Amino acid sequence: MAGGRADDEEAAVADCLFCGIVAKEIPATVVGETDLTLAFRDINPQAPTHVLVTTKAHHEDVGSLASADAEALAALLRECRRVAEADGIGDAYRVVFNTGAGAGQSVFHVHAHVLGGRGLGWPPG
Ligand code: 5GP
Ligand code: ZN
């Protein structure tokens, strides 16, 4: 039916930058891929290691993902650790999920920022 939930979802995916990266239509420096996740370096890194870990399926944010697919959420978090270890920062890294525009989320396809390789202040800005 026109204008239904499935149509909204299709429109979100069609417009989504990270769905484009997952589909390999938009280039990215991929550092890891599993059945459920894709990890790639942030185009505007804020630390020596700044990797984004996404789910291949489109979910708007981490809370939506947690409600919809606990297995994919766990896979995403496991991949964060693997990425950090692969970059040699497994003992000191930060995982950030900006949620909502007011908190700095600019791409509305769930992604963890894995940050490290420099001192990380607390509290975060
Ligand atoms: P958010 O602001 O939603 O938490 O994070 C989005 C991140 O995506 C930002 O850190 C931004 O630098 C990154 N980003 C935006 N466009 C691209 C792109 O085309 N390629 C890659 N690799 N990263 C992107
Ligand atoms: Zn998407």
Side-chain angles (χ1 to χ4, degrees), residues 56-70:
K56 287 185 171 175
H58 181 90
H59 300 275
E60 187 165 304
D61 59 36
V62 67
S64 308
L65 171 63
S67 295
D69 192 341

Side-chain angles (χ1 to χ4, degrees), residues 4-121:
R5 197 194 154 113
D7 288 350
D8 291 351
E9 182 66 19
E10 248 174 60
V13 169
D15 289 347
C16 177
L17 175 64
F18 287 179
C19 281
I21 290 177
V22 165
K24 312 273 167 73
E25 290 164 6
I26 296 167
T29 305
V30 171
V31 296
E33 182 166 7
T34 71
D35 287 351
L36 295 173
T37 66
L38 189 75
F40 51 93
R41 296 202 186 275
D42 196 293
I43 204 167
N44 181 23
Q46 302 300 311
T49 288
H50 188 172
V51 171
L52 303 175
V53 183
T54 63
T55 55
K56 287 185 171 175
H58 181 90
H59 300 275
E60 187 165 304
D61 59 36
V62 67
S64 308
L65 171 63
S67 295
D69 192 341
E71 185 191 352
L73 173 62
L76 186 153
L77 292 172
R78 273 196 304 277
E79 183 65 357
C80 290
R81 179 172 66 177
R82 193 201 62 74
V83 159
E85 287 174 348
D87 262 22
I89 58 160
D91 59 341
Y93 65 98
R94 186 168 290 162
V95 175
V96 174
F97 292 94
N98 294 325
T99 302
Q105 187 175 5
S106 59
V107 178
F108 290 83
H109 176 135
V110 61
H111 54 280
H113 297 255
V114 178
L115 296 152
R118 62 163 169 81
L120 296 169

